[in-house]
Amino acid sequence: MRCPFCKEDRDRVVDSRSSDAGRIIRRRRQCLICKKRFTTYEKIGESFKLYVVKKDNSRIPYDRDKVVAGLQKACYKRPVSAAQVQQIADKVEESIFQKFDKEVSSAFIGESVMKHLGAVDNVAYIRFASVYRNFSDAGELIEEVSHVIAKTEPLEQLTLFNYKK
Ligand SMILES: [Zn+2]
């Protein structure tokens, strides 16, 4: 696999995972020449790169590590295990690969993360939503929070606003 950094074609596979019920294989690779790591996705024999289209229409390679990092930040000190974070990332990837092959909007990824994270932990959901949606005014955030509070334990309501970016 051609290295995206130095363009050499020698690498080793560091880690493999499948998603979309085994139809997609994600391989973490390390270039043997420059030692940098990159990720490829293979779908029934073919390999492809998925790009994320950001709000300003720029495109960057999809990176699972960024999804996981966002989840970890949202789940900081919450009762969500590392395995659960990986499972949420798997579900997000499944939802992406069911619909998109070459490009996916950052908005779709964000909404998918919120959907799957919300099913696991409400406080983490609010943290992620407040960062991701970058609420322009307090009213929007309060609306989102009250929506979630409706299905949250009373004790958790008290801790909702303790999170600082
Ligand atoms: Zn390289």
Side-chain angles (χ1 to χ4, degrees):
M1 193 63 57
R2 204 171 152 98
C3 170
F5 302 102
C6 72
K7 313 296 180 198
E8 291 291 335
D9 198 1
R10 288 181 58 201
D11 67 86
R12 70 186 180 97
V13 174
V14 181
D15 182 41
S16 295
R17 278 169 199 278
S18 66
S19 57
D20 194 12
R23 290 201 303 128
I24 304 285
I25 301 168
R26 180 181 71 95
R27 293 191 209 278
R28 193 80 178 130
R29 297 169 183 272
Q30 183 174 33
C31 175
L32 295 175
I33 309 300
C34 73
K35 309 290 183 206
K36 285 184 178 151
R37 292 186 174 200
F38 58 100
T39 307
T40 57
Y41 301 88
E42 289 157 44
K43 191 174 185 178
I44 324 169
E46 68 186 285
S47 86
F48 63 97
K49 276 208 186 81
L50 181 74
Y51 282 87
V52 178
V53 183
K54 303 209 289 183
K55 268 185 199 161
D56 62 2
N57 267 328
S58 63
R59 284 160 173 73
I60 54 165
Y62 170 77
D63 184 354
R64 179 189 170 100
D65 292 348
K66 286 186 182 168
V67 173
V68 170
L71 283 166
Q72 283 169 338
K73 203 173 169 188
C75 294
Y76 180 67
K77 289 194 173 175
R78 295 299 304 162
V80 182
S81 68
Q84 279 177 301
V85 165
Q86 293 296 331
Q87 282 163 12
I88 295 167
D90 285 345
K91 285 178 181 171
V92 169
E93 289 191 340
E94 280 172 31
S95 73
I96 294 170
F97 290 126
Q98 274 166 12
K99 288 187 175 169
F100 307 99
D101 269 358
K102 299 203 161 55
E103 289 185 348
V104 58
S105 68
S106 57
F108 180 90
I109 297 175
E111 295 298 325
S112 181
V113 168
M114 295 205 322
K115 182 181 154 201
H116 296 294
L117 184 56
V120 174
D121 189 277
N122 282 330
V123 174
Y125 168 91
I126 287 295
R127 288 174 181 169
F128 185 87
S130 65
V131 174
Y132 164 70
R133 286 204 172 142
N134 197 11
F135 293 101
S136 50
D137 64 84
E140 271 185 276
L141 177 57
I142 287 166
E143 198 181 316
E144 184 80 33
V145 170
S146 56
H147 172 73
V148 171
I149 281 176
K151 46 172 186 166
T152 306
E153 299 285 321
L155 189 64
E156 284 189 321
Q157 292 179 30
L158 299 171
T159 60
L160 273 177
F161 292 98
N162 290 341
Y163 172 66
K164 292 188 185 72
K165 275 194 225 177

Short mmCIF file of all heavy atoms in Angstrom, two decimals, residues 53-90:
data_model
loop_
_atom_site.label_atom_id
_atom_site.label_comp_id
_atom_site.label_asym_id
_atom_site.label_seq_id
_atom_site.Cartn_x
_atom_site.Cartn_y
_atom_site.Cartn_z
N VAL A 53 -15.75 15.61 4.20
CA VAL A 53 -15.98 16.95 3.67
C VAL A 53 -16.39 17.85 4.82
O VAL A 53 -17.41 17.61 5.47
CB VAL A 53 -17.08 16.95 2.58
CG1 VAL A 53 -17.23 18.35 1.99
CG2 VAL A 53 -16.75 15.94 1.49
N LYS A 54 -15.59 18.85 5.08
CA LYS A 54 -15.86 19.73 6.22
C LYS A 54 -16.80 20.86 5.80
O LYS A 54 -17.15 21.02 4.64
CB LYS A 54 -14.55 20.29 6.77
CG LYS A 54 -13.60 19.13 7.17
CD LYS A 54 -12.67 19.50 8.28
CE LYS A 54 -11.60 20.47 7.85
NZ LYS A 54 -10.66 20.74 8.96
N LYS A 55 -17.21 21.65 6.81
CA LYS A 55 -18.18 22.73 6.57
C LYS A 55 -17.72 23.70 5.49
O LYS A 55 -18.51 24.22 4.72
CB LYS A 55 -18.42 23.52 7.87
CG LYS A 55 -19.59 22.98 8.68
CD LYS A 55 -19.83 23.88 9.89
CE LYS A 55 -20.65 23.15 10.93
NZ LYS A 55 -20.53 23.77 12.26
N ASP A 56 -16.41 23.96 5.45
CA ASP A 56 -15.89 24.92 4.47
C ASP A 56 -15.59 24.24 3.13
O ASP A 56 -14.92 24.82 2.28
CB ASP A 56 -14.63 25.60 5.02
CG ASP A 56 -13.49 24.60 5.28
OD1 ASP A 56 -13.66 23.39 4.98
OD2 ASP A 56 -12.43 25.03 5.77
N ASN A 57 -16.07 22.98 2.98
CA ASN A 57 -15.90 22.21 1.74
C ASN A 57 -14.50 21.65 1.52
O ASN A 57 -14.23 21.07 0.48
CB ASN A 57 -16.32 23.02 0.50
CG ASN A 57 -17.77 22.73 0.17
OD1 ASN A 57 -18.26 21.61 0.40
ND2 ASN A 57 -18.47 23.71 -0.34
N SER A 58 -13.61 21.85 2.49
CA SER A 58 -12.29 21.22 2.35
C SER A 58 -12.42 19.74 2.67
O SER A 58 -13.36 19.31 3.34
CB SER A 58 -11.29 21.89 3.30
OG SER A 58 -11.68 21.69 4.64
N ARG A 59 -11.50 18.95 2.16
CA ARG A 59 -11.55 17.50 2.34
C ARG A 59 -10.31 17.00 3.05
O ARG A 59 -9.19 17.37 2.70
CB ARG A 59 -11.66 16.80 0.98
CG ARG A 59 -13.04 16.89 0.39
CD ARG A 59 -13.02 16.64 -1.11
NE ARG A 59 -14.37 16.56 -1.66
CZ ARG A 59 -15.17 17.62 -1.82
NH1 ARG A 59 -14.75 18.82 -1.48
NH2 ARG A 59 -16.38 17.47 -2.32
N ILE A 60 -10.54 16.15 4.06
CA ILE A 60 -9.41 15.53 4.74
C ILE A 60 -9.67 14.03 4.81
O ILE A 60 -10.82 13.61 4.81
CB ILE A 60 -9.22 16.09 6.18
CG1 ILE A 60 -10.53 15.97 6.96
CG2 ILE A 60 -8.73 17.53 6.16
CD1 ILE A 60 -10.35 16.16 8.45
N PRO A 61 -8.60 13.21 4.82
CA PRO A 61 -8.81 11.76 4.92
C PRO A 61 -9.55 11.41 6.21
O PRO A 61 -9.26 12.00 7.26
CB PRO A 61 -7.40 11.18 4.94
CG PRO A 61 -6.51 12.25 4.40
CD PRO A 61 -7.17 13.56 4.78
N TYR A 62 -10.49 10.50 6.12
CA TYR A 62 -11.19 10.03 7.31
C TYR A 62 -10.20 9.39 8.27
O TYR A 62 -9.32 8.65 7.85
CB TYR A 62 -12.27 9.01 6.92
CG TYR A 62 -12.87 8.33 8.13
CD1 TYR A 62 -13.80 8.99 8.91
CD2 TYR A 62 -12.47 7.05 8.50
CE1 TYR A 62 -14.33 8.39 10.05
CE2 TYR A 62 -12.99 6.43 9.62
CZ TYR A 62 -13.92 7.11 10.39
OH TYR A 62 -14.43 6.51 11.51
N ASP A 63 -10.36 9.68 9.55
CA ASP A 63 -9.43 9.15 10.55
C ASP A 63 -10.23 8.69 11.77
O ASP A 63 -10.78 9.50 12.51
CB ASP A 63 -8.45 10.26 10.94
CG ASP A 63 -7.38 9.77 11.90
OD1 ASP A 63 -7.47 8.59 12.35
OD2 ASP A 63 -6.46 10.54 12.22
N ARG A 64 -10.28 7.39 11.95
CA ARG A 64 -11.03 6.84 13.08
C ARG A 64 -10.50 7.39 14.41
O ARG A 64 -11.27 7.59 15.35
CB ARG A 64 -10.92 5.31 13.07
CG ARG A 64 -11.65 4.63 14.24
CD ARG A 64 -11.31 3.16 14.28
NE ARG A 64 -11.78 2.53 15.49
CZ ARG A 64 -12.90 1.80 15.56
NH1 ARG A 64 -13.64 1.63 14.49
NH2 ARG A 64 -13.27 1.24 16.68
N ASP A 65 -9.19 7.60 14.48
CA ASP A 65 -8.60 8.09 15.73
C ASP A 65 -9.25 9.40 16.18
O ASP A 65 -9.35 9.67 17.38
CB ASP A 65 -7.09 8.31 15.55
CG ASP A 65 -6.35 6.99 15.36
OD1 ASP A 65 -6.97 5.93 15.60
OD2 ASP A 65 -5.18 7.03 14.97
N LYS A 66 -9.66 10.23 15.21
CA LYS A 66 -10.29 11.51 15.58
C LYS A 66 -11.66 11.27 16.19
O LYS A 66 -12.06 11.97 17.13
CB LYS A 66 -10.40 12.41 14.36
CG LYS A 66 -9.07 13.01 13.96
CD LYS A 66 -9.22 14.01 12.85
CE LYS A 66 -7.85 14.55 12.46
NZ LYS A 66 -7.91 15.29 11.21
N VAL A 67 -12.38 10.32 15.65
CA VAL A 67 -13.69 9.97 16.21
C VAL A 67 -13.52 9.46 17.63
O VAL A 67 -14.21 9.88 18.57
CB VAL A 67 -14.40 8.91 15.33
CG1 VAL A 67 -15.68 8.42 16.00
CG2 VAL A 67 -14.72 9.48 13.96
N VAL A 68 -12.54 8.56 17.81
CA VAL A 68 -12.29 7.97 19.13
C VAL A 68 -11.83 9.06 20.11
O VAL A 68 -12.29 9.10 21.26
CB VAL A 68 -11.23 6.84 19.03
CG1 VAL A 68 -10.77 6.39 20.41
CG2 VAL A 68 -11.81 5.65 18.25
N ALA A 69 -10.97 9.97 19.65
CA ALA A 69 -10.49 11.04 20.53
C ALA A 69 -11.65 11.94 20.98
O ALA A 69 -11.73 12.33 22.15
CB ALA A 69 -9.42 11.88 19.82
N GLY A 70 -12.56 12.24 20.07
CA GLY A 70 -13.73 13.05 20.41
C GLY A 70 -14.61 12.35 21.43
O GLY A 70 -15.12 12.97 22.37
N LEU A 71 -14.77 11.04 21.24
CA LEU A 71 -15.57 10.24 22.18
C LEU A 71 -14.91 10.20 23.55
O LEU A 71 -15.58 10.35 24.58
CB LEU A 71 -15.74 8.82 21.64
CG LEU A 71 -16.76 8.65 20.51
CD1 LEU A 71 -16.60 7.29 19.85
CD2 LEU A 71 -18.18 8.82 21.03
N GLN A 72 -13.60 9.98 23.56
CA GLN A 72 -12.88 9.89 24.85
C GLN A 72 -13.00 11.19 25.63
O GLN A 72 -13.18 11.19 26.84
CB GLN A 72 -11.41 9.54 24.60
CG GLN A 72 -11.21 8.07 24.26
CD GLN A 72 -9.82 7.76 23.76
OE1 GLN A 72 -9.11 8.63 23.27
NE2 GLN A 72 -9.43 6.50 23.86
N LYS A 73 -12.91 12.30 24.91
CA LYS A 73 -13.02 13.61 25.55
C LYS A 73 -14.41 13.77 26.17
O LYS A 73 -14.55 14.23 27.31
CB LYS A 73 -12.77 14.69 24.50
CG LYS A 73 -12.31 16.00 25.08
CD LYS A 73 -11.92 16.93 23.93
CE LYS A 73 -11.71 18.34 24.44
NZ LYS A 73 -11.53 19.29 23.34
N ALA A 74 -15.42 13.39 25.40
CA ALA A 74 -16.80 13.52 25.89
C ALA A 74 -17.07 12.59 27.07
O ALA A 74 -17.88 12.88 27.94
CB ALA A 74 -17.78 13.25 24.75
N CYS A 75 -16.38 11.45 27.09
CA CYS A 75 -16.63 10.43 28.11
C CYS A 75 -15.69 10.55 29.32
O CYS A 75 -15.69 9.67 30.18
CB CYS A 75 -16.52 9.03 27.51
SG CYS A 75 -17.79 8.68 26.29
N TYR A 76 -14.91 11.62 29.36
CA TYR A 76 -13.96 11.80 30.44
C TYR A 76 -14.65 11.71 31.80
O TYR A 76 -15.62 12.42 32.06
CB TYR A 76 -13.26 13.15 30.28
CG TYR A 76 -12.23 13.46 31.36
CD1 TYR A 76 -11.06 12.72 31.43
CD2 TYR A 76 -12.44 14.48 32.26
CE1 TYR A 76 -10.12 13.00 32.41
CE2 TYR A 76 -11.50 14.77 33.25
CZ TYR A 76 -10.34 14.01 33.31
OH TYR A 76 -9.41 14.29 34.28
N LYS A 77 -14.15 10.81 32.65
CA LYS A 77 -14.71 10.57 33.99
C LYS A 77 -16.18 10.13 33.98
O LYS A 77 -16.87 10.24 35.00
CB LYS A 77 -14.55 11.81 34.88
CG LYS A 77 -13.09 12.04 35.27
CD LYS A 77 -12.97 13.03 36.41
CE LYS A 77 -11.52 13.12 36.90
NZ LYS A 77 -11.35 14.14 37.92
N ARG A 78 -16.65 9.66 32.88
CA ARG A 78 -17.99 9.08 32.81
C ARG A 78 -17.86 7.56 32.85
O ARG A 78 -16.81 7.02 32.49
CB ARG A 78 -18.70 9.51 31.51
CG ARG A 78 -18.98 10.99 31.41
CD ARG A 78 -19.89 11.48 32.52
NE ARG A 78 -21.16 10.74 32.54
CZ ARG A 78 -21.98 10.70 33.59
NH1 ARG A 78 -21.66 11.34 34.70
NH2 ARG A 78 -23.10 10.03 33.53
N PRO A 79 -18.92 6.86 33.29
CA PRO A 79 -18.84 5.40 33.36
C PRO A 79 -18.98 4.75 31.99
O PRO A 79 -19.88 3.95 31.75
CB PRO A 79 -20.02 5.04 34.29
CG PRO A 79 -21.00 6.14 34.10
CD PRO A 79 -20.19 7.38 33.81
N VAL A 80 -18.06 5.12 31.09
CA VAL A 80 -18.06 4.53 29.75
C VAL A 80 -16.68 3.91 29.53
O VAL A 80 -15.67 4.60 29.63
CB VAL A 80 -18.33 5.61 28.66
CG1 VAL A 80 -18.36 4.97 27.28
CG2 VAL A 80 -19.64 6.35 28.94
N SER A 81 -16.64 2.61 29.31
CA SER A 81 -15.35 1.92 29.20
C SER A 81 -14.70 2.18 27.84
O SER A 81 -15.35 2.60 26.89
CB SER A 81 -15.55 0.41 29.38
OG SER A 81 -16.26 -0.11 28.28
N ALA A 82 -13.39 1.88 27.78
CA ALA A 82 -12.66 2.02 26.52
C ALA A 82 -13.27 1.12 25.46
O ALA A 82 -13.34 1.48 24.28
CB ALA A 82 -11.18 1.67 26.74
N ALA A 83 -13.73 -0.06 25.87
CA ALA A 83 -14.35 -0.99 24.92
C ALA A 83 -15.65 -0.39 24.37
O ALA A 83 -15.95 -0.53 23.18
CB ALA A 83 -14.63 -2.33 25.60
N GLN A 84 -16.41 0.27 25.24
CA GLN A 84 -17.65 0.91 24.77
C GLN A 84 -17.37 2.03 23.77
O GLN A 84 -18.10 2.20 22.81
CB GLN A 84 -18.45 1.47 25.97
CG GLN A 84 -19.26 0.41 26.69
CD GLN A 84 -19.97 1.00 27.91
OE1 GLN A 84 -19.34 1.53 28.81
NE2 GLN A 84 -21.29 0.93 27.92
N VAL A 85 -16.29 2.78 24.04
CA VAL A 85 -15.91 3.85 23.11
C VAL A 85 -15.62 3.25 21.73
O VAL A 85 -16.07 3.76 20.70
CB VAL A 85 -14.69 4.64 23.64
CG1 VAL A 85 -14.06 5.48 22.55
CG2 VAL A 85 -15.10 5.52 24.82
N GLN A 86 -14.88 2.12 21.72
CA GLN A 86 -14.56 1.47 20.44
C GLN A 86 -15.83 0.96 19.76
O GLN A 86 -15.96 1.02 18.54
CB GLN A 86 -13.57 0.31 20.65
CG GLN A 86 -12.18 0.75 21.11
CD GLN A 86 -11.44 1.61 20.08
OE1 GLN A 86 -11.65 1.47 18.88
NE2 GLN A 86 -10.58 2.50 20.54
N GLN A 87 -16.77 0.44 20.58
CA GLN A 87 -18.03 -0.05 20.00
C GLN A 87 -18.83 1.08 19.36
O GLN A 87 -19.43 0.90 18.30
CB GLN A 87 -18.89 -0.72 21.08
CG GLN A 87 -18.43 -2.14 21.42
CD GLN A 87 -19.01 -2.64 22.75
OE1 GLN A 87 -19.93 -2.02 23.31
NE2 GLN A 87 -18.47 -3.73 23.25
N ILE A 88 -18.83 2.24 20.03
CA ILE A 88 -19.54 3.39 19.46
C ILE A 88 -18.88 3.78 18.13
O ILE A 88 -19.55 4.03 17.14
CB ILE A 88 -19.56 4.58 20.44
CG1 ILE A 88 -20.37 4.22 21.69
CG2 ILE A 88 -20.16 5.82 19.77
CD1 ILE A 88 -20.20 5.20 22.85
N ALA A 89 -17.54 3.81 18.13
CA ALA A 89 -16.81 4.14 16.90
C ALA A 89 -17.13 3.13 15.80
O ALA A 89 -17.30 3.50 14.63
CB ALA A 89 -15.31 4.19 17.17
N ASP A 90 -17.25 1.84 16.16
CA ASP A 90 -17.62 0.82 15.18
C ASP A 90 -18.99 1.11 14.57
O ASP A 90 -19.20 1.01 13.36
CB ASP A 90 -17.68 -0.58 15.83
CG ASP A 90 -16.29 -1.15 16.09
OD1 ASP A 90 -15.31 -0.62 15.53
OD2 ASP A 90 -16.19 -2.12 16.85
#
